[in-house]
Short mmCIF file of all heavy atoms in Angstrom, two decimals:
data_model
loop_
_atom_site.label_atom_id
_atom_site.label_comp_id
_atom_site.label_asym_id
_atom_site.label_seq_id
_atom_site.Cartn_x
_atom_site.Cartn_y
_atom_site.Cartn_z
N GLY A 1 94.62 109.98 108.95
CA GLY A 1 95.24 108.67 109.05
C GLY A 1 95.69 108.10 107.73
O GLY A 1 96.19 106.98 107.66
N MET A 2 95.52 108.88 106.65
CA MET A 2 95.91 108.43 105.31
C MET A 2 97.03 109.31 104.79
O MET A 2 97.34 110.35 105.35
CB MET A 2 94.70 108.49 104.37
CG MET A 2 93.54 107.61 104.76
SD MET A 2 92.13 107.82 103.66
CE MET A 2 92.82 107.30 102.09
N ASP A 3 97.63 108.88 103.69
CA ASP A 3 98.64 109.69 103.01
C ASP A 3 97.93 110.87 102.37
O ASP A 3 97.13 110.71 101.44
CB ASP A 3 99.34 108.83 101.95
CG ASP A 3 100.53 109.54 101.33
OD1 ASP A 3 100.51 110.79 101.27
OD2 ASP A 3 101.48 108.86 100.91
N ILE A 4 98.19 112.07 102.88
CA ILE A 4 97.45 113.25 102.42
C ILE A 4 97.73 113.55 100.95
O ILE A 4 96.88 114.12 100.25
CB ILE A 4 97.77 114.48 103.32
CG1 ILE A 4 96.71 115.58 103.11
CG2 ILE A 4 99.17 114.98 103.06
CD1 ILE A 4 95.31 115.19 103.51
N GLU A 5 98.91 113.17 100.45
CA GLU A 5 99.21 113.38 99.03
C GLU A 5 98.26 112.55 98.16
O GLU A 5 97.82 113.00 97.10
CB GLU A 5 100.67 113.02 98.72
CG GLU A 5 101.69 114.03 99.21
CD GLU A 5 102.00 113.85 100.69
OE1 GLU A 5 101.55 112.84 101.29
OE2 GLU A 5 102.69 114.72 101.26
N GLU A 6 97.96 111.33 98.61
CA GLU A 6 97.04 110.48 97.87
C GLU A 6 95.63 111.07 97.89
O GLU A 6 94.90 111.02 96.89
CB GLU A 6 97.04 109.07 98.45
CG GLU A 6 98.36 108.33 98.27
CD GLU A 6 98.34 106.95 98.90
OE1 GLU A 6 97.26 106.53 99.39
OE2 GLU A 6 99.39 106.28 98.90
N VAL A 7 95.24 111.62 99.04
CA VAL A 7 93.92 112.25 99.15
C VAL A 7 93.84 113.45 98.21
O VAL A 7 92.85 113.63 97.49
CB VAL A 7 93.64 112.69 100.60
CG1 VAL A 7 92.31 113.45 100.68
CG2 VAL A 7 93.62 111.49 101.53
N ALA A 8 94.89 114.26 98.19
CA ALA A 8 94.91 115.46 97.35
C ALA A 8 94.82 115.10 95.87
O ALA A 8 94.19 115.83 95.08
CB ALA A 8 96.19 116.26 97.61
N GLU A 9 95.40 113.97 95.49
CA GLU A 9 95.38 113.56 94.09
C GLU A 9 94.05 112.94 93.70
O GLU A 9 93.50 113.24 92.64
CB GLU A 9 96.51 112.56 93.83
CG GLU A 9 96.63 112.15 92.37
CD GLU A 9 97.83 111.25 92.12
OE1 GLU A 9 98.70 111.14 93.00
OE2 GLU A 9 97.88 110.65 91.02
N ALA A 10 93.52 112.09 94.57
CA ALA A 10 92.31 111.35 94.22
C ALA A 10 91.03 112.14 94.50
O ALA A 10 90.09 112.11 93.70
CB ALA A 10 92.27 110.02 94.98
N THR A 11 90.98 112.83 95.64
CA THR A 11 89.76 113.57 96.03
C THR A 11 90.14 114.93 96.59
O THR A 11 89.99 115.18 97.80
CB THR A 11 88.96 112.77 97.08
OG1 THR A 11 89.85 112.40 98.16
CG2 THR A 11 88.36 111.52 96.47
N PRO A 12 90.63 115.84 95.76
CA PRO A 12 91.09 117.15 96.26
C PRO A 12 90.00 117.95 96.94
O PRO A 12 90.29 118.81 97.78
CB PRO A 12 91.59 117.85 94.98
CG PRO A 12 90.91 117.14 93.85
CD PRO A 12 90.77 115.72 94.30
N GLU A 13 88.74 117.68 96.61
CA GLU A 13 87.64 118.43 97.23
C GLU A 13 87.49 118.12 98.71
O GLU A 13 86.79 118.86 99.43
CB GLU A 13 86.33 118.13 96.50
CG GLU A 13 85.78 116.73 96.70
CD GLU A 13 86.40 115.69 95.76
OE1 GLU A 13 87.34 116.04 95.02
OE2 GLU A 13 85.93 114.54 95.77
N LEU A 14 88.15 117.07 99.18
CA LEU A 14 88.06 116.70 100.60
C LEU A 14 89.11 117.42 101.46
O LEU A 14 89.16 117.21 102.67
CB LEU A 14 88.20 115.19 100.77
CG LEU A 14 87.09 114.35 100.14
CD1 LEU A 14 87.34 112.86 100.37
CD2 LEU A 14 85.72 114.76 100.70
N ILE A 15 89.95 118.24 100.82
CA ILE A 15 90.93 119.02 101.57
C ILE A 15 90.45 120.47 101.61
O ILE A 15 90.27 121.11 100.57
CB ILE A 15 92.33 118.93 100.94
CG1 ILE A 15 92.82 117.47 100.95
CG2 ILE A 15 93.32 119.82 101.70
CD1 ILE A 15 94.17 117.27 100.34
N HIS A 16 90.23 120.98 102.81
CA HIS A 16 89.71 122.33 103.00
C HIS A 16 90.85 123.25 103.44
O HIS A 16 91.66 122.88 104.28
CB HIS A 16 88.60 122.31 104.05
CG HIS A 16 87.55 121.27 103.77
ND1 HIS A 16 86.57 121.44 102.82
CD2 HIS A 16 87.36 120.03 104.31
CE1 HIS A 16 85.81 120.36 102.79
NE2 HIS A 16 86.26 119.49 103.68
N ARG A 17 90.88 124.45 102.87
CA ARG A 17 91.98 125.39 103.12
C ARG A 17 91.46 126.75 103.55
O ARG A 17 90.46 127.24 103.01
CB ARG A 17 92.84 125.56 101.85
CG ARG A 17 93.51 124.29 101.36
CD ARG A 17 94.18 124.54 100.02
NE ARG A 17 94.99 123.42 99.57
CZ ARG A 17 94.51 122.36 98.92
NH1 ARG A 17 93.22 122.31 98.64
NH2 ARG A 17 95.31 121.38 98.54
N ILE A 18 92.16 127.36 104.50
CA ILE A 18 91.91 128.75 104.84
C ILE A 18 93.26 129.45 104.99
O ILE A 18 94.23 128.84 105.43
CB ILE A 18 91.08 128.93 106.13
CG1 ILE A 18 91.79 128.31 107.34
CG2 ILE A 18 89.70 128.35 105.97
CD1 ILE A 18 91.11 128.64 108.66
N HIS A 19 93.32 130.72 104.61
CA HIS A 19 94.53 131.52 104.78
C HIS A 19 94.31 132.52 105.92
O HIS A 19 93.27 133.20 105.95
CB HIS A 19 94.87 132.27 103.49
CG HIS A 19 95.51 131.40 102.45
ND1 HIS A 19 94.77 130.69 101.53
CD2 HIS A 19 96.81 131.12 102.20
CE1 HIS A 19 95.59 130.02 100.74
NE2 HIS A 19 96.83 130.26 101.12
N VAL A 20 95.27 132.59 106.81
CA VAL A 20 95.18 133.48 107.97
C VAL A 20 96.17 134.62 107.81
O VAL A 20 97.38 134.39 107.67
CB VAL A 20 95.46 132.72 109.28
CG1 VAL A 20 95.35 133.67 110.47
CG2 VAL A 20 94.51 131.54 109.43
N ASP A 21 95.66 135.84 107.82
CA ASP A 21 96.51 137.03 107.75
C ASP A 21 97.23 137.17 109.09
O ASP A 21 96.59 137.32 110.13
CB ASP A 21 95.63 138.25 107.49
CG ASP A 21 96.43 139.54 107.36
OD1 ASP A 21 97.64 139.54 107.72
OD2 ASP A 21 95.86 140.55 106.93
N PRO A 22 98.57 137.12 109.09
CA PRO A 22 99.31 137.20 110.37
C PRO A 22 99.03 138.47 111.15
O PRO A 22 99.11 138.47 112.39
CB PRO A 22 100.78 137.12 109.93
CG PRO A 22 100.75 136.50 108.58
CD PRO A 22 99.47 136.95 107.95
N SER A 23 98.70 139.55 110.46
CA SER A 23 98.45 140.81 111.16
C SER A 23 97.10 140.79 111.89
O SER A 23 96.90 141.52 112.86
CB SER A 23 98.48 141.99 110.19
OG SER A 23 97.45 141.88 109.22
N ALA A 24 96.18 139.95 111.45
CA ALA A 24 94.86 139.87 112.08
C ALA A 24 94.74 138.65 112.98
O ALA A 24 93.98 138.65 113.96
CB ALA A 24 93.77 139.83 111.01
N GLY A 25 95.49 137.60 112.66
CA GLY A 25 95.40 136.36 113.43
C GLY A 25 94.21 135.52 112.99
O GLY A 25 93.43 135.90 112.11
N LEU A 26 94.07 134.37 113.61
CA LEU A 26 92.96 133.46 113.30
C LEU A 26 91.66 134.05 113.82
O LEU A 26 91.52 134.32 115.02
CB LEU A 26 93.23 132.09 113.93
CG LEU A 26 92.16 131.02 113.72
CD1 LEU A 26 92.06 130.64 112.25
CD2 LEU A 26 92.47 129.79 114.57
N LEU A 27 90.70 134.25 112.94
CA LEU A 27 89.43 134.87 113.31
C LEU A 27 88.37 133.81 113.61
O LEU A 27 88.42 132.69 113.09
CB LEU A 27 88.95 135.79 112.19
CG LEU A 27 89.94 136.91 111.81
CD1 LEU A 27 89.40 137.71 110.63
CD2 LEU A 27 90.20 137.83 113.00
N GLY A 28 87.40 134.19 114.41
CA GLY A 28 86.38 133.26 114.86
C GLY A 28 85.63 132.60 113.73
O GLY A 28 85.37 131.40 113.75
N PHE A 29 85.25 133.38 112.71
CA PHE A 29 84.47 132.81 111.62
C PHE A 29 85.27 131.79 110.83
O PHE A 29 84.70 130.83 110.26
CB PHE A 29 83.95 133.92 110.69
CG PHE A 29 84.95 134.45 109.71
CD1 PHE A 29 85.08 133.87 108.45
CD2 PHE A 29 85.76 135.53 110.03
CE1 PHE A 29 86.00 134.36 107.53
CE2 PHE A 29 86.68 136.03 109.12
CZ PHE A 29 86.80 135.45 107.86
#
């Protein structure tokens, strides 16, 4: 509900990222 750019600048640790390999797809873990 907030401007995500502001969140990324002020508290980047609150943005969680995962990369999904297209050949494997989204995995359960």
Side-chain angles (χ1 to χ4, degrees):
M2 299 176 61
D3 188 330
I4 197 63
E5 286 81 8
E6 293 178 5
V7 176
E9 184 175 347
T11 52
E13 70 276 6
L14 296 180
I15 299 179
H16 309 283
R17 298 173 173 85
I18 60 172
H19 283 88
V20 180
D21 182 347
S23 63
L26 180 66
L27 302 176
F29 80 89

